């Protein structure tokens, strides 16, 4: 059984990262998490570690991920709800890759409202589609610790080896150009509407994601 925490700190910081695949959500979410001392929760990372561990959840998710499609809300929402009720989330969290659909966002809003909570900030990292293909093609991931690199923009110290844990880096199957195209279509159809959703909730902040990683983080710091 996971630790359920009925009482939350009122000043807990709950942040959602928005943006196309490859916009830099993970990169910035890790920095925010470190700066604020709160966990970085990536639904993509949770799915990938389940795939690696061969769990049933991983098997269910893999078929969708390989095609660049979204994992169904029924699977994703329950998994995320369990995660945000773990003990380390009591002071807040940065969600990276969730919500990705309006029904996911509505489930999150509803679950939080039951304890009088709400998302404090939704940070949309804006990068045009043309740049995305370049970002994803150069992305290298450590499936062991979740670290992310880029062959040009953020190379590891040793070629193809993770700086943090020494494991080999991979080009994710879903970062190959054919799949990236599908993922961008899925983004525009299902995830892009979340910008308007969080704007209407009064918590949206837009940042220019085409700048370098430090500049993007500086902009986010100003907001938070
Ligand atoms: P990226 O960082 O490139 O945006 P992620 O690691 O967040 O990619 O997600 C990889 C894949 O995992 C997605 O293409 C999708 O198949 C699945 N996935 C991750 N989060 C969600 C979610 N909230 N809802 C549905 N599918 C998800
Ligand atoms: P997302 O989580 O939105 O899919 P990532 O944070 O994984 O995006 O970034 C995608 C790729 O682009 C990675 O290889 C990362 O190193 C690189 N990247 C992230 N932010 C920038 C930036 N501001 N400029 C150039 N490359 C970046
Ligand atoms: Zn690693």
């Amino acid at each position: 059984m996971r630790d359920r925490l009925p009482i939350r700190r009122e000043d807990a910081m709950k942040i959602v990262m928005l943006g196309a695949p490859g916009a830099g959500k993970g990169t910035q979410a890790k920095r925010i998490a470190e700066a604020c001392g709160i966990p970085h929760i990536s639904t993509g990372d949770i799915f990938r570690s389940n795939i690696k561990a061969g769990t049933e959840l991983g098997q269910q998710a893999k078929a969708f991920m390989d095609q660049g499609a979204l994992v169904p809300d029924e699977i994703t929402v329950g998994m995320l709800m369990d995660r945000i009720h773990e003990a380390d989330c009591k002071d807040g969290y940065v969600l990276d890759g969730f919500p990705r659909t309006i029904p996911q966002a509505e489930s999150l809003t509803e679950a939080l409202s039951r304890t009088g909570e709400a998302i404090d900030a939704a940070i949309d990292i804006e990068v045009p589609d043309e740049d995305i293909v370049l970002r994803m093609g150069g992305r290298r991931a450590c499936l062991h610790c979740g670290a992310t690199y880029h062959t040009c923009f953020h190379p590891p110290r040793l070629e193809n080896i993770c700086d943090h844990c020494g494991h080999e880096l991979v080009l994710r199957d879903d970062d190959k150009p054919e799949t990236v195209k599908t993922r961008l279509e899925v983004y525009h159809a299902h995830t892009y509407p979340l910008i308007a959703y969080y704007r209407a909730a009064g918590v949206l902040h837009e940042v220019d994601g085409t700048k370098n990683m430090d500049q993007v983080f500086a902009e986010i710091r100003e907001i938070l």
Side-chain angles (χ1 to χ4, degrees):
M1 262 312 274
R2 278 172 164 143
D3 240 358
R4 289 265 168 184
L5 286 176
I7 299 164
R8 299 301 189 93
R9 275 185 45 185
E10 276 171 19
D11 57 348
M13 191 67 178
K14 292 175 289 294
I15 302 167
V16 161
M17 304 302 293
L18 298 176
K25 300 181 297 297
T27 300
Q28 299 301 331
K30 286 190 182 84
R31 292 185 180 202
I32 297 168
E34 200 173 322
C36 300
I38 52 179
H40 163 219
I41 301 177
S42 156
T43 39
D45 284 352
I46 301 176
F47 285 134
R48 280 184 290 277
S49 62
N50 273 278
I51 291 173
K52 210 164 154 240
T55 68
E56 200 187 319
L57 176 72
Q59 280 173 10
Q60 287 174 325
K62 190 175 188 315
F64 298 99
M65 291 170 76
D66 282 350
Q67 291 177 23
L70 294 179
V71 179
D73 291 343
E74 303 83 76
I75 299 174
T76 311
V77 171
M79 179 183 88
L80 192 276
M81 292 304 161
D82 283 351
R83 180 64 190 89
I84 62 172
H85 286 96
E86 284 181 42
D88 65 332
C89 291
K90 70 180 191 317
D91 294 335
Y93 39 79
V94 191
L95 300 184
D96 162 18
F98 187 99
R100 255 186 163 92
T101 64
I102 292 283
Q104 288 182 14
E106 287 171 342
S107 303
L108 179 62
T109 301
E110 201 188 294
L112 291 176
S113 72
R114 274 184 236 130
T115 44
E117 299 173 278
I119 291 298
D120 300 293
I123 300 171
D124 174 37
I125 306 185
E126 302 200 312
V127 174
D129 286 5
E130 305 84 84
D131 298 355
I132 293 294
V133 182
L134 193 69
R135 292 254 178 119
M136 310 280 260
R139 172 157 65 184
R140 295 294 179 272
C142 174
L143 297 183
H144 186 74
C145 77
T148 317
Y149 302 85
H150 192 282
T151 50
C152 310
F153 307 128
H154 177 39
R157 283 193 291 272
L158 297 173
E159 202 179 322
N160 241 20
I161 301 292
C162 179
D163 291 353
H164 301 288
C165 72
H167 282 77
E168 199 181 345
L169 303 178
V170 297
L171 170 65
R172 277 166 41 184
D173 280 339
D174 62 345
D175 278 351
K176 292 176 180 152
E178 320 80 81
T179 320
V180 169
K181 195 172 161 278
T182 312
R183 290 169 67 197
L184 274 172
E185 285 164 10
V186 168
Y187 169 75
H188 287 291
H190 299 283
T191 310
Y192 182 79
L194 294 178
I195 295 175
Y197 180 90
Y198 283 107
R199 184 180 289 123
V203 294
L204 183 75
H205 301 275
E206 291 166 293
V207 301
D208 177 1
T210 63
K211 295 182 182 164
N212 74 41
M213 294 174 199
D214 292 339
Q215 289 169 322
V216 177
F217 186 57
E219 242 188 85
I220 293 174
R221 272 201 109 104
E222 290 283 304
I223 294 165
L224 300 175

